[in-house]
Amino acid sequence: MANNDVPAKIISSRLGHSSIQVTMNTYGFALQSADKAAADKFESILNGRQGQNE
């Protein structure tokens, strides 16, 4: 779910975890991967806009 842009809070709730911290401790590696992908996508968008403004 994390790799499909589902927020961590929703993942935590769907999995029945008592807190988001449980989710982060258990699946943090996957969420970090999703965060990296989001950062890369954001950077790509920014780089594309910079090219349009020049």
Side-chain angles (χ1 to χ4, degrees):
M1 288 190 284
N3 291 328
N4 289 305
D5 301 324
V6 177
K9 176 122 177 90
I10 301 299
I11 296 169
S12 179
S13 176
R14 291 287 180 170
L15 292 174
H17 292 160
S18 58
S19 72
I20 197 168
Q21 190 63 41
V22 173
T23 306
M24 295 303 288
N25 288 342
T26 305
Y27 300 104
F29 66 92
L31 296 173
Q32 289 172 354
S33 175
D35 184 57
K36 171 75 169 102
D40 291 344
K41 189 179 297 186
F42 187 68
E43 182 179 5
S44 175
I45 290 168
L46 289 178
N47 287 337
R49 287 188 180 163
Q50 287 176 349
Q52 292 175 358
N53 292 332
E54 293 178 6

